[in-house]
Amino acid sequence: MAHNQAMMHTYCYQLAATWLELHPEAAASELVAFLGKQAHKAQTVAAEVYVAREGMTMDEAMEFQKRQYAYRDMMRRELSAND
């Protein structure tokens, strides 16, 4: 696994673990909502780069992000295979 990808995984796992430590009474759906908001913020920042570098509109850049970087289905398959 490439170093950047491994570090990204480390960050994501630590973010979820820390949130759960700070919210031990929270339901799983609350964690999912929190992580969804974090993902949306990150996608927005990435889309802004496409607007600046590629001349896309923000709507085009967000659609591109959704098409190219939607990982949830892949993650479901990967996690299901590991059960």
PDB file of all heavy atoms in Angstrom, residues 4-34:
ATOM      1  N   ASN A   4       0.999   7.413   1.174  1.00  0.00           N
ATOM      2  CA  ASN A   4      -0.075   8.407   1.322  1.00  0.00           C
ATOM      3  C   ASN A   4      -1.415   7.747   1.614  1.00  0.00           C
ATOM      4  O   ASN A   4      -2.186   8.237   2.439  1.00  0.00           O
ATOM      5  CB  ASN A   4      -0.183   9.280   0.073  1.00  0.00           C
ATOM      6  CG  ASN A   4       0.965  10.250  -0.048  1.00  0.00           C
ATOM      7  OD1 ASN A   4       1.707  10.494   0.895  1.00  0.00           O
ATOM      8  ND2 ASN A   4       1.124  10.803  -1.231  1.00  0.00           N
ATOM      9  N   GLN A   5      -1.678   6.647   0.943  1.00  0.00           N
ATOM     10  CA  GLN A   5      -2.936   5.944   1.170  1.00  0.00           C
ATOM     11  C   GLN A   5      -2.971   5.367   2.590  1.00  0.00           C
ATOM     12  O   GLN A   5      -3.990   5.442   3.271  1.00  0.00           O
ATOM     13  CB  GLN A   5      -3.125   4.837   0.143  1.00  0.00           C
ATOM     14  CG  GLN A   5      -4.475   4.158   0.247  1.00  0.00           C
ATOM     15  CD  GLN A   5      -4.653   3.089  -0.815  1.00  0.00           C
ATOM     16  OE1 GLN A   5      -3.713   2.715  -1.501  1.00  0.00           O
ATOM     17  NE2 GLN A   5      -5.858   2.590  -0.932  1.00  0.00           N
ATOM     18  N   ALA A   6      -1.863   4.814   3.037  1.00  0.00           N
ATOM     19  CA  ALA A   6      -1.799   4.268   4.393  1.00  0.00           C
ATOM     20  C   ALA A   6      -2.002   5.365   5.429  1.00  0.00           C
ATOM     21  O   ALA A   6      -2.703   5.168   6.430  1.00  0.00           O
ATOM     22  CB  ALA A   6      -0.464   3.562   4.613  1.00  0.00           C
ATOM     23  N   MET A   7      -1.403   6.508   5.203  1.00  0.00           N
ATOM     24  CA  MET A   7      -1.559   7.614   6.145  1.00  0.00           C
ATOM     25  C   MET A   7      -2.991   8.143   6.141  1.00  0.00           C
ATOM     26  O   MET A   7      -3.529   8.510   7.183  1.00  0.00           O
ATOM     27  CB  MET A   7      -0.562   8.739   5.834  1.00  0.00           C
ATOM     28  CG  MET A   7       0.892   8.323   6.060  1.00  0.00           C
ATOM     29  SD  MET A   7       1.199   7.565   7.696  1.00  0.00           S
ATOM     30  CE  MET A   7       0.791   8.902   8.780  1.00  0.00           C
ATOM     31  N   MET A   8      -3.625   8.163   4.970  1.00  0.00           N
ATOM     32  CA  MET A   8      -5.017   8.585   4.889  1.00  0.00           C
ATOM     33  C   MET A   8      -5.901   7.616   5.683  1.00  0.00           C
ATOM     34  O   MET A   8      -6.781   8.037   6.432  1.00  0.00           O
ATOM     35  CB  MET A   8      -5.485   8.646   3.437  1.00  0.00           C
ATOM     36  CG  MET A   8      -6.938   9.078   3.281  1.00  0.00           C
ATOM     37  SD  MET A   8      -7.532   8.994   1.591  1.00  0.00           S
ATOM     38  CE  MET A   8      -7.450   7.253   1.262  1.00  0.00           C
ATOM     39  N   HIS A   9      -5.643   6.321   5.533  1.00  0.00           N
ATOM     40  CA  HIS A   9      -6.403   5.324   6.292  1.00  0.00           C
ATOM     41  C   HIS A   9      -6.189   5.532   7.789  1.00  0.00           C
ATOM     42  O   HIS A   9      -7.147   5.479   8.570  1.00  0.00           O
ATOM     43  CB  HIS A   9      -5.986   3.915   5.906  1.00  0.00           C
ATOM     44  CG  HIS A   9      -6.477   3.500   4.570  1.00  0.00           C
ATOM     45  ND1 HIS A   9      -6.154   2.296   4.011  1.00  0.00           N
ATOM     46  CD2 HIS A   9      -7.259   4.116   3.652  1.00  0.00           C
ATOM     47  CE1 HIS A   9      -6.725   2.182   2.829  1.00  0.00           C
ATOM     48  NE2 HIS A   9      -7.389   3.276   2.592  1.00  0.00           N
ATOM     49  N   THR A  10      -4.958   5.754   8.188  1.00  0.00           N
ATOM     50  CA  THR A  10      -4.652   5.979   9.604  1.00  0.00           C
ATOM     51  C   THR A  10      -5.447   7.157  10.136  1.00  0.00           C
ATOM     52  O   THR A  10      -6.062   7.084  11.201  1.00  0.00           O
ATOM     53  CB  THR A  10      -3.138   6.223   9.793  1.00  0.00           C
ATOM     54  OG1 THR A  10      -2.435   5.077   9.343  1.00  0.00           O
ATOM     55  CG2 THR A  10      -2.785   6.498  11.241  1.00  0.00           C
ATOM     56  N   TYR A  11      -5.444   8.256   9.396  1.00  0.00           N
ATOM     57  CA  TYR A  11      -6.178   9.450   9.813  1.00  0.00           C
ATOM     58  C   TYR A  11      -7.671   9.150   9.961  1.00  0.00           C
ATOM     59  O   TYR A  11      -8.287   9.500  10.967  1.00  0.00           O
ATOM     60  CB  TYR A  11      -5.969  10.593   8.808  1.00  0.00           C
ATOM     61  CG  TYR A  11      -6.822  11.788   9.125  1.00  0.00           C
ATOM     62  CD1 TYR A  11      -6.413  12.712  10.073  1.00  0.00           C
ATOM     63  CD2 TYR A  11      -8.060  11.983   8.500  1.00  0.00           C
ATOM     64  CE1 TYR A  11      -7.211  13.796  10.396  1.00  0.00           C
ATOM     65  CE2 TYR A  11      -8.862  13.058   8.814  1.00  0.00           C
ATOM     66  CZ  TYR A  11      -8.429  13.967   9.759  1.00  0.00           C
ATOM     67  OH  TYR A  11      -9.221  15.032  10.077  1.00  0.00           O
ATOM     68  N   CYS A  12      -8.245   8.494   8.963  1.00  0.00           N
ATOM     69  CA  CYS A  12      -9.686   8.200   8.987  1.00  0.00           C
ATOM     70  C   CYS A  12     -10.060   7.304  10.162  1.00  0.00           C
ATOM     71  O   CYS A  12     -11.052   7.555  10.853  1.00  0.00           O
ATOM     72  CB  CYS A  12     -10.122   7.565   7.672  1.00  0.00           C
ATOM     73  SG  CYS A  12     -10.007   8.689   6.271  1.00  0.00           S
ATOM     74  N   TYR A  13      -9.265   6.262  10.387  1.00  0.00           N
ATOM     75  CA  TYR A  13      -9.551   5.358  11.500  1.00  0.00           C
ATOM     76  C   TYR A  13      -9.425   6.084  12.834  1.00  0.00           C
ATOM     77  O   TYR A  13     -10.240   5.903  13.742  1.00  0.00           O
ATOM     78  CB  TYR A  13      -8.622   4.143  11.480  1.00  0.00           C
ATOM     79  CG  TYR A  13      -8.758   3.281  10.244  1.00  0.00           C
ATOM     80  CD1 TYR A  13      -7.643   2.684   9.689  1.00  0.00           C
ATOM     81  CD2 TYR A  13      -9.987   3.071   9.624  1.00  0.00           C
ATOM     82  CE1 TYR A  13      -7.748   1.884   8.555  1.00  0.00           C
ATOM     83  CE2 TYR A  13     -10.097   2.282   8.493  1.00  0.00           C
ATOM     84  CZ  TYR A  13      -8.980   1.690   7.964  1.00  0.00           C
ATOM     85  OH  TYR A  13      -9.087   0.903   6.846  1.00  0.00           O
ATOM     86  N   GLN A  14      -8.401   6.905  12.964  1.00  0.00           N
ATOM     87  CA  GLN A  14      -8.202   7.642  14.209  1.00  0.00           C
ATOM     88  C   GLN A  14      -9.307   8.673  14.417  1.00  0.00           C
ATOM     89  O   GLN A  14      -9.740   8.895  15.554  1.00  0.00           O
ATOM     90  CB  GLN A  14      -6.830   8.310  14.231  1.00  0.00           C
ATOM     91  CG  GLN A  14      -5.707   7.313  14.398  1.00  0.00           C
ATOM     92  CD  GLN A  14      -4.339   7.975  14.411  1.00  0.00           C
ATOM     93  OE1 GLN A  14      -4.205   9.194  14.356  1.00  0.00           O
ATOM     94  NE2 GLN A  14      -3.303   7.152  14.470  1.00  0.00           N
ATOM     95  N   LEU A  15      -9.782   9.301  13.347  1.00  0.00           N
ATOM     96  CA  LEU A  15     -10.874  10.257  13.459  1.00  0.00           C
ATOM     97  C   LEU A  15     -12.130   9.570  13.990  1.00  0.00           C
ATOM     98  O   LEU A  15     -12.762  10.051  14.938  1.00  0.00           O
ATOM     99  CB  LEU A  15     -11.165  10.901  12.102  1.00  0.00           C
ATOM    100  CG  LEU A  15     -12.337  11.886  12.062  1.00  0.00           C
ATOM    101  CD1 LEU A  15     -12.022  13.114  12.910  1.00  0.00           C
ATOM    102  CD2 LEU A  15     -12.626  12.289  10.628  1.00  0.00           C
ATOM    103  N   ALA A  16     -12.482   8.431  13.412  1.00  0.00           N
ATOM    104  CA  ALA A  16     -13.671   7.704  13.869  1.00  0.00           C
ATOM    105  C   ALA A  16     -13.501   7.219  15.301  1.00  0.00           C
ATOM    106  O   ALA A  16     -14.417   7.358  16.123  1.00  0.00           O
ATOM    107  CB  ALA A  16     -13.955   6.527  12.939  1.00  0.00           C
ATOM    108  N   ALA A  17     -12.341   6.675  15.634  1.00  0.00           N
ATOM    109  CA  ALA A  17     -12.101   6.176  16.992  1.00  0.00           C
ATOM    110  C   ALA A  17     -12.156   7.301  18.012  1.00  0.00           C
ATOM    111  O   ALA A  17     -12.750   7.152  19.091  1.00  0.00           O
ATOM    112  CB  ALA A  17     -10.755   5.457  17.046  1.00  0.00           C
ATOM    113  N   THR A  18     -11.556   8.430  17.679  1.00  0.00           N
ATOM    114  CA  THR A  18     -11.555   9.567  18.607  1.00  0.00           C
ATOM    115  C   THR A  18     -12.962  10.105  18.807  1.00  0.00           C
ATOM    116  O   THR A  18     -13.361  10.418  19.937  1.00  0.00           O
ATOM    117  CB  THR A  18     -10.618  10.674  18.084  1.00  0.00           C
ATOM    118  OG1 THR A  18      -9.310  10.127  17.934  1.00  0.00           O
ATOM    119  CG2 THR A  18     -10.563  11.855  19.035  1.00  0.00           C
ATOM    120  N   TRP A  19     -13.734  10.201  17.720  1.00  0.00           N
ATOM    121  CA  TRP A  19     -15.106  10.684  17.849  1.00  0.00           C
ATOM    122  C   TRP A  19     -15.901   9.762  18.774  1.00  0.00           C
ATOM    123  O   TRP A  19     -16.632  10.232  19.636  1.00  0.00           O
ATOM    124  CB  TRP A  19     -15.769  10.780  16.465  1.00  0.00           C
ATOM    125  CG  TRP A  19     -17.075  11.511  16.516  1.00  0.00           C
ATOM    126  CD1 TRP A  19     -17.272  12.849  16.352  1.00  0.00           C
ATOM    127  CD2 TRP A  19     -18.367  10.952  16.775  1.00  0.00           C
ATOM    128  NE1 TRP A  19     -18.602  13.152  16.490  1.00  0.00           N
ATOM    129  CE2 TRP A  19     -19.297  12.009  16.746  1.00  0.00           C
ATOM    130  CE3 TRP A  19     -18.829   9.669  17.023  1.00  0.00           C
ATOM    131  CZ2 TRP A  19     -20.659  11.812  16.950  1.00  0.00           C
ATOM    132  CZ3 TRP A  19     -20.185   9.464  17.230  1.00  0.00           C
ATOM    133  CH2 TRP A  19     -21.085  10.532  17.193  1.00  0.00           C
ATOM    134  N   LEU A  20     -15.717   8.454  18.604  1.00  0.00           N
ATOM    135  CA  LEU A  20     -16.431   7.508  19.466  1.00  0.00           C
ATOM    136  C   LEU A  20     -15.976   7.623  20.926  1.00  0.00           C
ATOM    137  O   LEU A  20     -16.792   7.493  21.837  1.00  0.00           O
ATOM    138  CB  LEU A  20     -16.241   6.077  18.966  1.00  0.00           C
ATOM    139  CG  LEU A  20     -17.076   5.711  17.756  1.00  0.00           C
ATOM    140  CD1 LEU A  20     -16.652   4.357  17.214  1.00  0.00           C
ATOM    141  CD2 LEU A  20     -18.561   5.714  18.099  1.00  0.00           C
ATOM    142  N   GLU A  21     -14.696   7.857  21.152  1.00  0.00           N
ATOM    143  CA  GLU A  21     -14.208   8.053  22.524  1.00  0.00           C
ATOM    144  C   GLU A  21     -14.850   9.283  23.150  1.00  0.00           C
ATOM    145  O   GLU A  21     -15.189   9.269  24.343  1.00  0.00           O
ATOM    146  CB  GLU A  21     -12.691   8.239  22.533  1.00  0.00           C
ATOM    147  CG  GLU A  21     -11.919   6.974  22.278  1.00  0.00           C
ATOM    148  CD  GLU A  21     -10.428   7.226  22.133  1.00  0.00           C
ATOM    149  OE1 GLU A  21      -9.980   8.393  22.121  1.00  0.00           O
ATOM    150  OE2 GLU A  21      -9.705   6.230  22.016  1.00  0.00           O
ATOM    151  N   LEU A  22     -15.021  10.350  22.365  1.00  0.00           N
ATOM    152  CA  LEU A  22     -15.601  11.593  22.876  1.00  0.00           C
ATOM    153  C   LEU A  22     -17.118  11.528  22.991  1.00  0.00           C
ATOM    154  O   LEU A  22     -17.720  12.341  23.690  1.00  0.00           O
ATOM    155  CB  LEU A  22     -15.199  12.768  21.980  1.00  0.00           C
ATOM    156  CG  LEU A  22     -13.711  13.093  21.960  1.00  0.00           C
ATOM    157  CD1 LEU A  22     -13.414  14.145  20.901  1.00  0.00           C
ATOM    158  CD2 LEU A  22     -13.241  13.549  23.334  1.00  0.00           C
ATOM    159  N   HIS A  23     -17.735  10.576  22.305  1.00  0.00           N
ATOM    160  CA  HIS A  23     -19.199  10.415  22.299  1.00  0.00           C
ATOM    161  C   HIS A  23     -19.561   8.952  22.560  1.00  0.00           C
ATOM    162  O   HIS A  23     -20.203   8.311  21.717  1.00  0.00           O
ATOM    163  CB  HIS A  23     -19.777  10.874  20.962  1.00  0.00           C
ATOM    164  CG  HIS A  23     -19.430  12.277  20.595  1.00  0.00           C
ATOM    165  ND1 HIS A  23     -18.292  12.597  19.887  1.00  0.00           N
ATOM    166  CD2 HIS A  23     -20.048  13.453  20.864  1.00  0.00           C
ATOM    167  CE1 HIS A  23     -18.236  13.907  19.727  1.00  0.00           C
ATOM    168  NE2 HIS A  23     -19.293  14.455  20.313  1.00  0.00           N
ATOM    169  N   PRO A  24     -19.195   8.413  23.715  1.00  0.00           N
ATOM    170  CA  PRO A  24     -19.417   6.977  23.955  1.00  0.00           C
ATOM    171  C   PRO A  24     -20.889   6.568  23.957  1.00  0.00           C
ATOM    172  O   PRO A  24     -21.201   5.411  23.692  1.00  0.00           O
ATOM    173  CB  PRO A  24     -18.771   6.737  25.318  1.00  0.00           C
ATOM    174  CG  PRO A  24     -18.732   8.070  25.972  1.00  0.00           C
ATOM    175  CD  PRO A  24     -18.594   9.070  24.856  1.00  0.00           C
ATOM    176  N   GLU A  25     -21.775   7.512  24.213  1.00  0.00           N
ATOM    177  CA  GLU A  25     -23.201   7.202  24.249  1.00  0.00           C
ATOM    178  C   GLU A  25     -23.854   7.292  22.872  1.00  0.00           C
ATOM    179  O   GLU A  25     -25.030   6.966  22.710  1.00  0.00           O
ATOM    180  CB  GLU A  25     -23.915   8.159  25.219  1.00  0.00           C
ATOM    181  CG  GLU A  25     -24.074   9.594  24.724  1.00  0.00           C
ATOM    182  CD  GLU A  25     -22.786  10.417  24.564  1.00  0.00           C
ATOM    183  OE1 GLU A  25     -21.755  10.092  25.169  1.00  0.00           O
ATOM    184  OE2 GLU A  25     -22.823  11.394  23.797  1.00  0.00           O
ATOM    185  N   ALA A  26     -23.113   7.706  21.874  1.00  0.00           N
ATOM    186  CA  ALA A  26     -23.670   7.949  20.544  1.00  0.00           C
ATOM    187  C   ALA A  26     -24.055   6.652  19.835  1.00  0.00           C
ATOM    188  O   ALA A  26     -23.453   5.609  20.042  1.00  0.00           O
ATOM    189  CB  ALA A  26     -22.662   8.709  19.689  1.00  0.00           C
ATOM    190  N   ALA A  27     -25.054   6.784  19.009  1.00  0.00           N
ATOM    191  CA  ALA A  27     -25.482   5.664  18.162  1.00  0.00           C
ATOM    192  C   ALA A  27     -24.590   5.619  16.925  1.00  0.00           C
ATOM    193  O   ALA A  27     -23.982   6.625  16.545  1.00  0.00           O
ATOM    194  CB  ALA A  27     -26.936   5.861  17.740  1.00  0.00           C
ATOM    195  N   ALA A  28     -24.536   4.473  16.306  1.00  0.00           N
ATOM    196  CA  ALA A  28     -23.744   4.316  15.084  1.00  0.00           C
ATOM    197  C   ALA A  28     -24.205   5.309  14.017  1.00  0.00           C
ATOM    198  O   ALA A  28     -23.383   5.848  13.269  1.00  0.00           O
ATOM    199  CB  ALA A  28     -23.847   2.886  14.570  1.00  0.00           C
ATOM    200  N   SER A  29     -25.486   5.571  13.951  1.00  0.00           N
ATOM    201  CA  SER A  29     -26.004   6.506  12.942  1.00  0.00           C
ATOM    202  C   SER A  29     -25.442   7.913  13.136  1.00  0.00           C
ATOM    203  O   SER A  29     -25.252   8.650  12.168  1.00  0.00           O
ATOM    204  CB  SER A  29     -27.529   6.538  12.963  1.00  0.00           C
ATOM    205  OG  SER A  29     -28.000   6.981  14.225  1.00  0.00           O
ATOM    206  N   GLU A  30     -25.146   8.274  14.379  1.00  0.00           N
ATOM    207  CA  GLU A  30     -24.554   9.586  14.646  1.00  0.00           C
ATOM    208  C   GLU A  30     -23.114   9.637  14.129  1.00  0.00           C
ATOM    209  O   GLU A  30     -22.683  10.663  13.591  1.00  0.00           O
ATOM    210  CB  GLU A  30     -24.601   9.909  16.134  1.00  0.00           C
ATOM    211  CG  GLU A  30     -26.016  10.133  16.651  1.00  0.00           C
ATOM    212  CD  GLU A  30     -26.055  10.281  18.152  1.00  0.00           C
ATOM    213  OE1 GLU A  30     -25.923   9.244  18.852  1.00  0.00           O
ATOM    214  OE2 GLU A  30     -26.181  11.435  18.620  1.00  0.00           O
ATOM    215  N   LEU A  31     -22.382   8.554  14.298  1.00  0.00           N
ATOM    216  CA  LEU A  31     -21.028   8.495  13.756  1.00  0.00           C
ATOM    217  C   LEU A  31     -21.070   8.560  12.232  1.00  0.00           C
ATOM    218  O   LEU A  31     -20.295   9.286  11.615  1.00  0.00           O
ATOM    219  CB  LEU A  31     -20.294   7.234  14.214  1.00  0.00           C
ATOM    220  CG  LEU A  31     -18.907   7.015  13.602  1.00  0.00           C
ATOM    221  CD1 LEU A  31     -17.958   8.160  13.928  1.00  0.00           C
ATOM    222  CD2 LEU A  31     -18.339   5.681  14.062  1.00  0.00           C
ATOM    223  N   VAL A  32     -21.988   7.826  11.624  1.00  0.00           N
ATOM    224  CA  VAL A  32     -22.125   7.836  10.174  1.00  0.00           C
ATOM    225  C   VAL A  32     -22.443   9.257   9.690  1.00  0.00           C
ATOM    226  O   VAL A  32     -21.861   9.729   8.700  1.00  0.00           O
ATOM    227  CB  VAL A  32     -23.197   6.828   9.706  1.00  0.00           C
ATOM    228  CG1 VAL A  32     -23.528   7.005   8.234  1.00  0.00           C
ATOM    229  CG2 VAL A  32     -22.734   5.411   9.994  1.00  0.00           C
ATOM    230  N   ALA A  33     -23.323   9.956  10.391  1.00  0.00           N
ATOM    231  CA  ALA A  33     -23.667  11.334  10.009  1.00  0.00           C
ATOM    232  C   ALA A  33     -22.451  12.251  10.131  1.00  0.00           C
ATOM    233  O   ALA A  33     -22.185  13.073   9.236  1.00  0.00           O
ATOM    234  CB  ALA A  33     -24.813  11.844  10.876  1.00  0.00           C
ATOM    235  N   PHE A  34     -21.700  12.123  11.225  1.00  0.00           N
ATOM    236  CA  PHE A  34     -20.500  12.933  11.423  1.00  0.00           C
ATOM    237  C   PHE A  34     -19.492  12.686  10.299  1.00  0.00           C
ATOM    238  O   PHE A  34     -18.972  13.623   9.695  1.00  0.00           O
ATOM    239  CB  PHE A  34     -19.867  12.622  12.784  1.00  0.00           C
ATOM    240  CG  PHE A  34     -18.478  13.190  12.931  1.00  0.00           C
ATOM    241  CD1 PHE A  34     -18.291  14.544  13.153  1.00  0.00           C
ATOM    242  CD2 PHE A  34     -17.362  12.365  12.850  1.00  0.00           C
ATOM    243  CE1 PHE A  34     -17.014  15.067  13.281  1.00  0.00           C
ATOM    244  CE2 PHE A  34     -16.084  12.878  12.979  1.00  0.00           C
ATOM    245  CZ  PHE A  34     -15.908  14.238  13.198  1.00  0.00           C
TER     246      PHE A  34
END
